[in-house]
């Protein structure tokens, strides 16, 4: 990879504490530090010679004009249906009132206004001499930045889709619908300079390949199987303790509702020897969990990334949930959770609650051993898996055996596919006869 010099453009750095940062850290593991330059909006607590912080300033004239238009349009248009929490990441404004609508207009202006890079930042990138730009995009600002840097340094762009955000950006007629149209224009321009795109899973790769007409390759979440080599010694299964159905992950996108519904079904089934323990970020617990939880549902606190493997391996059984709410599932249909390879590597009895066809659910269906499936909206389906839980999980015990992680989730294979994709983009760009369309057939 010595001839591939990657400019990573993103909101947060590679290796940040969220799921995206951990996924990025996995694919970049093994890259020489001198081969990667990160240009990010929010470095958080991370710093180093290969991390450059983006400015937050936008062009004032364009901002003033669009802000005025936004206020006028917002006052004249009927109230839109607000996108469900988590689906409009570029503006991140909750609420249905006039104040929330105006804040969404202002955020849209900020996101879609031109951004000026300081000369010092340009000089740092110029000294690095990038041969390819890798970015999750996800906002107008990121797309504009990628296009500007791609043109300035004659480097191809490799978009990496970890969520199906293309149709979820500005769905509420921000700026009278102009915001959505402008973000779509920016994305089309990005694809002109993209020899290929990367996706979180194979289902998304197939759909995007057909929809966009470019090469798309699945490079998603992965784990090191050796990190899950703990022995489940059974100390947590003492007779005087309840057995734990463990959930680890976020509670956004309707997942908290599914957890609560499942706990209530368990309570109705008088499954007194089991409890659901949810390990989630503190912010998620404060935001999504009601003050009074069902007695058999407990918040187990937040877990550091390095402690997740042991927590999963030591669980009596694991729980994975996705919402079937149509306003959510149409955007999460291609999402492959970081929990999929982690749960597969932990190799414990597993209950999967979610809609058939959703990418994470189907990955478990294809590769999971000792898995039970239920529909989140079906009381009968939930009741059946709940009533079978004790006998089913108990009969499996330690007989699950050693896991065999599918290749698409095994870290060394994922890193190799990622490196090969970046190399392909560089070689394709160098060989293309056109100075604008950088695409190999």
């Amino acid at each position: 990879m010595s001839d591939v010099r990657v400019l990573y453009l993103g909101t947060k750095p590679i290796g940040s504490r969220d799921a995206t940062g951990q996924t990025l850290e996995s694919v970049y593991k093994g890259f020489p530090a001198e081969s990667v330059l990160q240009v990010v909006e929010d470095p958080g607590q991370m710093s180093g010679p290969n991390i450059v912080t983006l400015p937050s300033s936008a062009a004032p004239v364009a901002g003033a004009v669009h802000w005025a238009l936004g206020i006028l349009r917002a006052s004249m248009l009927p109230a839109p249906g607000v996108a469900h929490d988590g689906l409009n990441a570029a503006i991140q404004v909750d609420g249905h009132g006039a104040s929330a609508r105006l804040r969404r207009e202002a955020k849209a202006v900020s996101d879609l206004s031109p951004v000026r890079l300081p000369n010092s930042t340009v000089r740092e990138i110029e000294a690095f001499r990038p041969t390819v730009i890798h970015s999750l995009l996800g906002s107008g600002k990121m797309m504009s930045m990628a296009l500007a840097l791609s043109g300035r340094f004659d480097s191809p762009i490799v978009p990496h889709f970890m969520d199906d955000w293309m149709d979820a950006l500005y769905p509420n007629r921000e700026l009278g619908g102009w915001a959505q149209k402008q973000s779509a224009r920016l994305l089309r321009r990005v694809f002109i300079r993209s020899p290929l795109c990367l996706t979180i899973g194979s289902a998304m790769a197939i759909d995007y390949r057909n929809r966009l007409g470019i090469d798309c390759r699945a490079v998603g979440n992965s784990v090191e199987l050796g990190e899950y080599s703990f022995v489940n010694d059974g100390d947590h299964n003492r007779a005087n303790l309840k057995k734990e159905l463990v959930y680890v992950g976020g509670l956004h996108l309707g997942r908290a509702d599914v957890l609560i519904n499942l706990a209530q079904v368990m309570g109705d089934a008088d499954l007194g020897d089991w409890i659901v323990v949810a390990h989630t970020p503190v912010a998620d617990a404060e935001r999504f969990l009601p003050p009074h939880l069902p007695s058999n549902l407990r918040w187990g606190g937040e877990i550091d990334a390095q402690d997740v493997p042991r927590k999963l391996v030591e669980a009596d059984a694991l729980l994975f949930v996705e919402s079937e709410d149509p306003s959510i599932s149409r955007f999460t249909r291609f999402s492959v959770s970081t929990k999929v390879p982690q749960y597969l590597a932990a190799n414990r009895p597993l209950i999967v609650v979610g809609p058939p066809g959703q990418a994470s659910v189907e990955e478990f269906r294809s590769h999971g051993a000792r898995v039970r499936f239920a529909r989140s909206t079906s009381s009968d389906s939930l009741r059946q898996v709940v009533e079978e839980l004790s006998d089913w999980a108990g009969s499996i015990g330690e007989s699950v055996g050693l896991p065999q992680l599918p290749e698409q989730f095994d870290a060394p294979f994922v890193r190799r596919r990622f490196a090969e994709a970046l190399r392909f983009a560089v070689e394709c760009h160098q060989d293309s006869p056109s100075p604008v369309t950088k695409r190999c057939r």
Side-chain angles (χ1 to χ4, degrees), residues 242 266-275 296 386-387 389-390:
K242 292 181 181 294
M266 290 176 64
D268 293 341
D270 195 24
L271 209 65
D273 55 338
W274 282 87
I275 59 171
N296 60 350
V386 162
E387 290 175 347
L389 180 58
S390 289

Side-chain angles (χ1 to χ4, degrees), residues 11 43 58 66 72 92 102 127 135 154 157 197 212 216 243 263 343 356 364 375:
T11 302
H66 288 307
L72 177 63
Q92 295 177 331
L102 289 179
S135 179
D154 192 30
I157 303 170
C197 76
L212 304 173
C216 293
K243 294 182 179 178
Y343 278 24
F364 283 124
R375 297 288 295 264

